[in-house]
Amino acid sequence: MYSKRFEKEAFKEEVKNNIKNLYRKTIEEATGRQIFQAVSLAVKETIIDYWLATQAEMEKEDPKTVYYMSMEFLMGRALGNNLINMTAYKEVKEALDEMGIDLNAVEDEEPDPALGNGGLGRLAACFLDSLATLGYPAYGCGIRYRYGMFKQKIENGYQVEVPDNWLKDGNPFEIRRDEYAKEVRFGGDVRIEYDPVTKRNNFIQENYSSVLAVPYDMPIIGYGNHVVNTLRIWDAEAITDFHLDAFNRGDYRHAVEQENLAKMIVDVLYPCDDHYAGKELRLKQQYFFISASLQALLVRYKKKHDDVRKLHEKVTIQMNDTHPTLAVAELMHLLIDQEGLEWDEAWDVTTKTVAYTNHTIMAEALEKWPVDLFSRLLPRIYQIIQEIDRRFIEQVRSRYPGDEGRVARMAIIRDGQVKMAHLAIVAGYSVNGVARLHTEILKHEELKDFYDMMPEKFNNKTNGITQRRFLMHGNPLLADWVTKRIGDGWITDLSQMSRLKKYVDDPKALAEFREIKYQNKLRLAEYIKKYNGIEVDPRSIFDVQVKRLHEYKRQFLNILHVMYLYNQIKDHPEMYFYPRTFIFGAKAAAGYVRAKETIKLINSVADVINNDKSINGKIKVVFIEDYRVSNAEIIFAAADVSEQISTASKEASGTGNMKFMLNGAPTLGTMDGANVEIVEEVGIENAFIFGLSSDEVINFENNGGYNPADIYFNDWDIKRVVDQLIDGTYSNGDREMYRDLYDSLVNTHGQERADRYFILKDFRSYADAQKRVEEAYKDREGWAKKALMNVACCGKFSSDRTIQEYVDDIWHLDHIKVDA
Ligand code: 73E
């Protein structure tokens, strides 16, 4: 593979041999899963050679390396993506065809590794792809959860969560690295001991529990450049007798406790997106992978360097949100307690090494750990944070004398809580938001005090996505068409897509482009038929909203609008209406009641409308079960309209919006997150924008909200739709089923503000925008132009661009080159 000529016969032989040796079977007898394993292992052979070559290069050149610390890596399936990046997809497909094996079916046998919730975890995965493709040395560091994101089943319209045992049959691409295992300690006490020789206090942790962190490495393959980086995810095991110190040996109760701790720690991914759960186990997970990763990183650094005071010259650590912020204190701990640095020296290194990315301004997502829990679980780490806080507050006081209000707002430890974002900002040498608007809101609202004091740290890095997975793999028809028209440079330089602009006035090109979308819609229609049992018309408008379910993302607004359209069609059967298929896909956090009610509502509305023969199929509503990376690829490719309708100011960036754009679906959205930049690139005439601006939303919020009753009592269409939540229309006469959703719009129960997310406020403007979509779609060629313009203008949204900006402005990494 790669530039070595692909040896088709040898590859086929290898697959046969693998099946024979692993399963004592012939190809004909093997199950789909077994064939997947056999093919993957054959592919892995080649990967390993390049992995070794990359390693050797790193050994030789000693380049500066980024360690991307993240609680989540939403990788999706590896086989197809690896083949794409090895530039071997088509050859392998052909080889397997000759053996009577369908590569697509083999790919479908792979469990979808879902070690992430949504955008944040998928961003980490896209970043790893781009880092390897651009030839930058990088490690992803995370947790090897036994159970990833739950599988979603819909039963009677309700979400049911099913455990995702993704490792059941083993993961063919990973390699266990026992030799790099590290001990991680929790709890106990810290004894301070004066050392008369060094004249320093030593801090000794005692009576702790510990677990053994064992790394598993997964290859991250660059596109066509032979670079193979590493995603290192940590498993936890009980410390065996061998590792215990004499003091603890023979302590049975302690041994059992440690065994349980190890089992628990990596058991499951917390399924909360944009939400802080505040669970002790989550803090343990965070410390577990941070401590193991930093210990390993220091060992690796010290193999070549004897002065840890220069760590930042070879190492940079990016913290993906605040979840890995313990890295600040753990690095201080290792540098002081293990490497013998003085506080000031350790602080100097740490603050030149760690950087922080903020992904949300949602108050409920901010991590604040109770001091008692924190200090009990991580006594030495807590001491260090206290000292960081003490010194920082001194600085604030000297900079702003007498301004105790500011001190209170900025402190790291305050009101019995440890504020992780404050720690990350104080220690980080860079603080970035993930879209221009988001960064501006951070600077001027949420993090204003910090921006005032240290403006030089703040910068923006607008998110991006990898075109290798989301076009080349997910939409091969369009990918081939683009290549036919402009060559294949776009695969590693998405800005070249702008060359497609010359085809917007070429009727033949537009016709081909439209036909591809139609074929992709057929593929999705088949998927929907197979998994939902619903027939949808591929000629209808595919209007899609797929993302995590959250109130601020406003799936509720979307479905209320569907209810409104349905009323209109029922009232005016003669009215012209372009057939529309509303497609939803979304997982709700298991404990997020209102999000789950919204899923039930969508399914109830689907039931009523899809079964109403009188509307002649003008509207169909589909809720796609278990939205995940693998079916996302099929969905993006088939979309006509991309719904990005969050309340302005709430969605930090969004990345689904970019995947739709790449696949030629215009945005129907608010001026929020990266939508702003999408509109800037594509032109407002090629998008459908509506709703309050972020300034307007923030203004309302600062003045106690707005009064939804003014709308509810004055707009009869809206009142009718809202009342249908509690009149039994969508609940077989049950008036209570959607009472909470109704109340959330119009009733102020207790402290909650009615319509916190401005759904009624934006409703008319949304309905108007939807009307404009319909009008525009009727002009088939005009629509195709808009869609093609979206593809042609998506260049900015490649994660290759994002990563290059991180490298230029923050990380300053060295390039690596691996010869074939
Ligand atoms: O706007 C998205 C953004 O595109 C944002 O909501 C998401 O991150 C994406 C990538 O930058 C995000 N996820 C979380 N916070 N922001 C989060 C918070 C806690 C747990 C899990 C995820």
Side-chain angles (χ1 to χ4, degrees):
M1 286 171 234
Y2 282 120
S3 53
K4 269 201 256 166
R5 265 195 49 70
F6 175 66
E7 309 271 358
K8 196 196 275 179
E9 293 310 317
F11 176 80
K12 286 157 70 174
E13 210 42 45
E14 175 109 28
V15 172
K16 269 190 222 153
N17 270 330
N18 285 347
I19 289 180
K20 186 174 104 193
N21 296 330
L22 287 168
Y23 306 111
R24 209 205 56 194
K25 283 188 178 172
T26 62
I27 301 247
E28 293 69 34
E29 293 163 339
T31 65
R33 218 14 100 83
Q34 291 170 336
I35 291 177
F36 159 72
Q37 292 280 348
V39 170
S40 297
L41 289 174
V43 172
K44 188 183 185 183
E45 288 261 315
T46 314
I47 297 175
I48 301 268
D49 288 338
Y50 291 103
W51 211 353
L52 285 168
T54 306
Q55 219 46 56
E57 192 59 26
M58 305 245 282
E59 205 45 45
K60 188 166 101 218
E61 298 292 325
D62 189 27
K64 187 174 183 191
T65 302
V66 63
Y67 291 80
Y68 196 82
M69 303 286 176
S70 180
M71 287 284 275
E72 306 191 8
F73 287 92
L74 221 185
M75 299 303 290
R77 290 173 175 159
L79 176 59
N81 200 247
N82 287 346
L83 291 175
I84 292 255
N85 282 9
M86 295 161 81
T87 63
Y89 192 90
K90 285 183 178 160
E91 283 111 317
V92 166
K93 191 171 173 52
E94 216 177 88
L96 292 175
D97 269 343
E98 289 173 16
M99 301 168 80
I101 299 172
D102 170 14
L103 176 56
N104 281 330
V106 178
E107 288 185 56
D108 266 338
E109 290 289 339
E110 181 174 358
D112 202 328
L115 307 185
N117 272 285
L120 172 141
R122 183 55 230 178
L123 185 75
C126 285
F127 279 6
L128 294 184
D129 182 86
S130 288
L131 277 160
T133 296
L134 294 176
Y136 291 117
Y139 280 85
C141 302
I143 297 175
R144 186 173 177 269
Y145 301 104
R146 296 280 159 73
Y147 294 90
M149 188 62 207
F150 62 78
K151 299 236 153 282
Q152 180 191 55
K153 292 251 173 297
I154 299 296
E155 285 176 13
N156 187 27
Y158 290 100
Q159 166 176 299
V160 176
E161 300 93 27
V162 180
D164 162 44
N165 192 359
W166 71 292
L167 287 167
K168 191 167 70 243
D169 304 319
N171 174 2
F173 290 106
E174 71 185 7
I175 300 186
R176 182 185 160 103
R177 310 300 296 268
D178 283 284
E179 65 275 32
Y180 299 124
K182 297 281 174 288
E183 183 190 1
V184 178
R185 299 174 175 181
F186 296 96
D189 329 288
V190 179
R191 183 164 54 84
I192 304 179
E193 190 183 75
Y194 182 71
D195 181 341
V197 179
T198 60
K199 300 199 170 55
R200 280 170 46 125
N201 281 328
N202 290 329
F203 297 83
I204 300 153
Q205 195 174 353
E206 292 177 336
N207 305 318
Y208 52 82
S209 302
S210 53
V211 296
L212 191 67
V214 182
Y216 285 70
D217 286 354
M218 308 238 270
I220 306 293
I221 302 168
Y223 181 84
N225 66 354
H226 319 145
V227 171
V228 181
N229 278 333
T230 303
L231 168 60
R232 172 161 286 182
I233 49 180
W234 297 89
D235 186 22
E237 290 183 7
I239 295 268
T240 58
D241 250 13
F242 172 75
H243 294 93
L244 285 181
D245 51 42
F247 177 81
N248 277 327
R249 248 173 240 152
D251 180 347
Y252 177 71
R253 194 181 58 84
H254 196 74
V256 172
E257 264 173 29
Q258 299 204 138
E259 181 97 37
N260 286 336
L261 177 62
K263 274 206 202 90
M264 295 277 290
I265 255 180
V266 295
D267 190 51
V268 60
L269 165 79
Y270 276 90
C272 305
D273 193 62
D274 257 312
H275 190 78
Y276 160 68
K279 293 283 189 296
E280 176 164 351
L281 184 58
R282 168 98 171 171
L283 188 59
K284 284 185 185 160
Q285 291 183 333
Q286 295 183 349
Y287 186 65
F288 167 75
F289 95 98
I290 286 300
S291 176
S293 302
L294 288 185
Q295 291 182 56
L297 158 176
L298 273 184
V299 169
R300 184 166 181 270
Y301 173 82
K302 283 166 60 182
K303 264 178 38 191
K304 279 208 172 334
H305 305 273
D306 41 25
D307 189 359
V308 287
R309 289 170 193 83
K310 293 186 181 161
L311 182 71
H312 56 277
E313 292 178 3
K314 292 293 173 186
V315 168
T316 192
I317 296 172
Q318 190 68 33
M319 303 187 292
N320 197 21
D321 214 281
T322 56
H323 321 148
T325 302
L326 288 170
V328 171
E330 177 68 2
L331 187 54
M332 289 294 286
H333 157 63
L334 292 172
L335 292 174
I336 294 171
D337 298 338
Q338 180 183 299
E339 303 298 326
L341 264 56
E342 296 298 328
W343 180 278
D344 288 330
E345 294 173 318
W347 185 245
D348 182 60
V349 178
T350 300
T351 54
K352 285 177 178 157
T353 304
V354 303
Y356 161 57
T357 303
N358 175 291
H359 293 266
T360 179
I361 59 164
M362 300 287 292
E364 62 261 42
L366 294 182
E367 290 193 296
K368 293 176 259 174
W369 295 104
V371 161
D372 51 347
L373 181 161
F374 197 104
S375 57
R376 184 167 37 78
L377 188 70
L378 306 169
R380 176 65 182 135
I381 295 301
Y382 182 68
Q383 279 181 345
I384 289 171
I385 295 176
Q386 277 183 309
E387 182 60 13
I388 295 173
D389 186 41
R390 191 187 65 76
R391 289 169 182 243
F392 174 62
I393 282 175
E394 245 173 38
Q395 278 180 25
V396 179
R397 288 209 170 106
S398 80
R399 173 80 185 270
Y400 303 99
D403 193 346
E404 284 304 302
R406 192 181 290 263
V407 170
R409 293 197 302 271
M410 296 179 80
I412 298 170
I413 304 174
R414 191 80 190 183
D415 300 329
Q417 292 177 319
V418 186
K419 301 184 177 173
M420 302 308 273
H422 295 193
L423 178 58
I425 298 166
V426 170
Y429 69 89
S430 160
V431 176
N432 77 279
V434 290
R436 194 205 302 137
L437 175 66
H438 168 62
T439 303
E440 289 305 307
I441 295 175
L442 289 180
K443 292 198 300 197
H444 303 297
E445 310 276 338
E446 306 302 311
L447 301 179
K448 182 174 185 313
D449 293 326
F450 291 94
Y451 179 64
D452 285 350
M453 187 168 162
M454 32 203 158
E456 69 289 346
K457 288 189 182 186
F458 285 74
N459 65 95
N460 174 245
K461 294 286 165 283
T462 298
N463 283 165
I465 56 162
T466 169
Q467 64 268 31
R468 268 84 57 188
R469 180 178 289 270
F470 291 104
L471 193 62
M472 240 189 135
H473 187 260
N475 192 346
L477 294 178
L478 185 56
D480 286 347
W481 182 80
V482 171
T483 298
K484 192 177 88 194
R485 293 289 177 175
I486 63 167
D488 65 3
W490 62 271
I491 299 170
T492 50
D493 174 10
L494 200 63
S495 71
Q496 293 188 20
M497 286 293 205
S498 64
R499 295 194 198 155
L500 289 171
K501 281 182 194 161
K502 62 173 175 279
Y503 296 109
V504 295
D505 292 314
D506 176 339
K508 181 164 171 287
L510 285 181
E512 288 169 7
F513 179 73
R514 269 204 344 243
E515 175 60 20
I516 288 166
K517 181 61 83 180
Y518 184 72
Q519 290 303 322
N520 285 323
K521 288 167 79 173
L522 280 178
R523 179 173 69 156
L524 180 59
E526 273 165 32
Y527 181 94
I528 290 170
K529 177 79 189 143
K530 183 165 169 199
Y531 293 100
N532 291 67
I534 300 174
E535 299 265 4
V536 300
D537 179 356
R539 285 158 309 174
S540 64
I541 305 173
F542 278 17
D543 178 314
V544 187
Q545 188 175 20
V546 286
K547 49 181 79 250
R548 284 300 292 260
L549 212 138
H550 206 296
E551 286 166 277
Y552 83 77
K553 296 179 189 282
R554 298 199 296 192
Q555 285 93 350
F556 192 20
L557 171 60
N558 188 343
I559 197 69
L560 285 170
H561 174 256
V562 173
M563 290 159 61
Y564 158 84
L565 287 180
Y566 180 56
N567 289 339
Q568 288 208 318
I569 294 175
K570 297 288 276 183
D571 290 352
H572 309 285
E574 74 295 344
M575 184 186 76
Y576 177 83
F577 186 85
Y578 203 105
R580 189 88 76 113
T581 303
F582 292 95
I583 297 169
F584 293 84
K587 289 182 187 179
Y592 192 170
V593 174
R594 192 165 288 158
K596 292 178 129 178
E597 290 166 354
T598 308
I599 290 178
K600 172 66 177 165
L601 176 64
I602 294 168
N603 283 308
S604 299
V605 172
D607 258 357
V608 171
I609 296 184
N610 297 346
N611 293 310
D612 182 344
K613 299 264 179 330
S614 77
I615 64 164
N616 294 322
K618 281 179 185 159
I619 304 181
K620 284 276 168 75
V621 180
V622 177
F623 189 95
I624 293 182
E625 195 174 71
D626 203 34
Y627 173 60
R628 60 191 186 279
V629 177
S630 54
N631 60 19
E633 294 178 28
I634 298 170
I635 296 168
F636 294 128
D640 289 314
V641 179
S642 160
E643 298 251 9
Q644 307 301 336
I645 62 177
S646 54
T647 310
S649 81
K650 303 293 179 199
E651 190 71 273
S653 166
T655 44
N657 45 6
M658 302 168 186
K659 296 164 197 168
F660 281 106
M661 183 188 195
L662 173 69
N663 283 275
T667 301
L668 163 56
T670 49
M671 277 298 198
D672 198 17
N675 296 354
V676 177
E677 290 161 75
I678 286 178
V679 171
E680 185 173 290
E681 294 298 307
V682 78
I684 188 109
E685 67 285 5
N686 296 311
F688 301 88
I689 299 305
F690 73 95
L692 295 175
S693 69
S694 61
D695 283 341
E696 288 168 324
V697 169
I698 291 168
N699 231 328
F700 275 122
E701 287 180 335
N702 291 340
N703 295 296
Y706 87 107
N707 187 4
D710 294 342
I711 295 173
Y712 176 76
F713 287 113
N714 288 303
D715 184 326
W716 291 100
D717 292 329
I718 291 182
K719 181 164 189 306
R720 179 171 170 204
V721 166
V722 174
D723 287 347
Q724 283 171 337
L725 293 169
I726 53 163
D727 71 1
T729 308
Y730 295 102
S731 49
N732 290 317
D734 181 345
R735 288 161 178 272
E736 296 310 310
M737 185 177 283
Y738 299 116
R739 175 77 59 182
D740 174 64
L741 285 174
Y742 171 89
D743 283 345
S744 76
L745 293 175
V746 290
N747 268 345
T748 39
H749 278 321
Q751 67 284 64
E752 194 193 353
R753 232 172 36 227
D755 198 12
R756 267 188 67 184
Y757 295 100
F758 302 90
I759 287 175
L760 301 190
K761 189 88 186 150
D762 274 349
F763 188 94
R764 271 293 160 198
S765 149
Y766 178 56
D768 289 346
Q770 282 284 22
K771 196 80 205 148
R772 282 185 272 135
V773 168
E774 179 178 29
E775 285 306 314
Y777 199 89
K778 281 195 273 184
D779 169 7
R780 284 155 50 104
E781 194 159 301
W783 185 271
K785 284 183 188 179
K786 284 191 202 308
L788 183 55
M789 275 302 280
N790 271 271
V791 183
C793 299
C794 74
K796 176 174 177 185
F797 303 104
S798 170
S799 45
D800 299 343
R801 187 269 313 151
T802 313
I803 285 299
Q804 193 57 53
E805 289 182 9
Y806 274 92
V807 170
D808 292 342
D809 304 344
I810 307 177
W811 300 336
H812 306 293
L813 306 177
D814 299 313
H815 247 284
I816 41 172
K817 214 173 131 11
V818 177
D819 293 322

